[in-house]
Amino acid sequence: MTHSAASAQSPFNPDTHRIGRVLCFAAHPDDIDFGAAGTIAAWTAAGIHVSYCIMTDGDAGGFDPAQRAEITALRAAEQRRAAELVGVTDIHYLHQRDGYLEPTHKVMKGVVKLIREVRPDVVLAMHPERNWNRLQKSHPDHLAVGEAVTRAVYPAVENPFAYPELAEAGLAAYKLPWLWLYAGPEERENHFEDVTDHVDAKLDAIHVHVSQHPDVAAMEAAVRNGLHMNARRAGFAEGRSAEAFHVVAVNGPGTIAGF
């Protein structure tokens, strides 16, 4: 697995904190690939089990008016192929309408249900805060993912009396250790994963989403440049590539229930 580095603010220490299972949330097919596919490729290569949950079907994406009838199936197929390239085969959908996602109780209940089923060490999700330096990272659906997942992670996932029908169905409350957020404001990012060995896999996964990227060369250049900039911010050696996250400790040795 690639090494990682973090600023002093990150609570995650890769030398002492172990990850065995990860559940990733995104608004649309391709969001995870842009935000974290390099890290995910490193995780799966190390034997970590990774699952995806895409909250919408991406039905408002693409550029070809003639594809409207088939865009949902097309994007699901793209996401499936892209996921396989980074070692992921377990993909879930909440089937919300693209462009209309909100952190409703229906959505949050779906998030709680899946987290309790998977019981991951890390939940990876889009950031709930807007990035004013690059507004394209902060599609309203992206922000809704971050808000819904953050609300679900605490307190609902670990509260047996939240959405009691889930507990009645056998899905016991679960204390999540870690929340990793991506696609947020740079000032929030406190953890960097060196993905130099997995850049090609990340780009291959992004390239699969051909319905979304009319200018492939510009897209690839922007992704490579962003990864190099992240590595510089992390203090990695020149020429390295990194993905950036805002890591939050949800439950650890010092956590007091209810506070």
Side-chain angles (χ1 to χ4, degrees):
M1 184 175 178
T2 55
H3 70 280
S4 61
S7 71
Q9 289 76 34
S10 175
F12 185 83
N13 183 341
D15 295 326
T16 58
H17 298 121
R18 300 303 176 193
I19 300 173
R21 188 175 294 270
V22 178
L23 175 56
C24 307
F25 289 91
H28 316 102
D30 83 359
D31 288 338
I32 292 176
D33 299 297
F34 275 104
T39 298
I40 290 164
W43 279 337
T44 60
I48 295 169
H49 185 275
V50 179
S51 302
Y52 288 177
C53 178
I54 315 298
M55 290 199 180
T56 81
D57 293 320
D59 47 285
F63 299 91
D64 186 352
Q67 289 183 332
R68 290 305 92 196
E70 62 186 35
I71 192 66
T72 295
L74 175 61
R75 297 200 70 184
E78 289 175 345
Q79 183 63 89
R80 185 170 56 252
R81 292 195 301 272
E84 289 172 352
L85 289 173
V86 294
V88 176
T89 57
D90 186 31
I91 305 176
H92 307 261
Y93 284 87
L94 294 189
H95 300 298
Q96 297 296 298
R97 186 177 175 188
D98 188 348
Y100 290 75
L101 186 64
E102 297 286 351
T104 64
H105 279 286
K106 178 181 178 181
V107 170
M108 287 188 287
K109 179 181 172 182
V111 172
V112 171
K113 178 177 183 291
L114 192 54
I115 293 175
R116 289 188 184 181
E117 288 173 346
V118 175
R119 304 180 89 77
D121 302 297
V122 171
V123 161
L124 185 75
M126 311 193 85
H127 207 288
E129 296 182 43
R130 185 168 273 110
N131 185 332
W132 292 109
N133 293 327
R134 187 168 180 271
L135 200 58
Q136 288 81 359
K137 284 177 112 176
S138 303
H139 186 295
D141 285 353
H142 297 182
L143 303 179
V145 169
E147 188 62 28
V149 172
T150 303
R151 290 189 199 182
V153 160
Y154 182 82
V157 165
E158 61 186 65
N159 182 354
F161 309 113
Y163 310 118
E165 60 272 28
L166 296 180
E168 292 166 4
L171 292 175
Y174 173 67
K175 288 184 177 292
L176 176 75
W178 298 100
L179 175 63
W180 289 36
L181 300 165
Y182 65 98
E186 285 187 8
E187 60 268 23
R188 292 293 191 198
E189 292 168 346
N190 60 4
H191 187 87
F192 300 85
E193 287 287 330
D194 186 326
V195 298
T196 306
D197 295 338
H198 302 278
V199 172
D200 288 343
K202 176 185 177 75
L203 286 168
D204 287 346
I206 294 173
H207 280 305
V208 168
H209 300 277
V210 291
S211 67
Q212 307 305 301
H213 309 301
D215 191 339
V216 174
M219 176 275 293
E220 181 166 327
V223 170
R224 288 187 182 277
N225 183 59
L227 295 174
H228 289 315
M229 289 179 62
N230 287 339
R232 292 189 193 103
R233 290 196 293 129
F236 292 157
E238 190 62 32
R240 306 300 290 180
S241 295
E243 289 175 338
F245 303 93
H246 177 193
V247 171
V248 179
V250 182
N251 283 288
T255 305
I256 301 173
F259 289 87

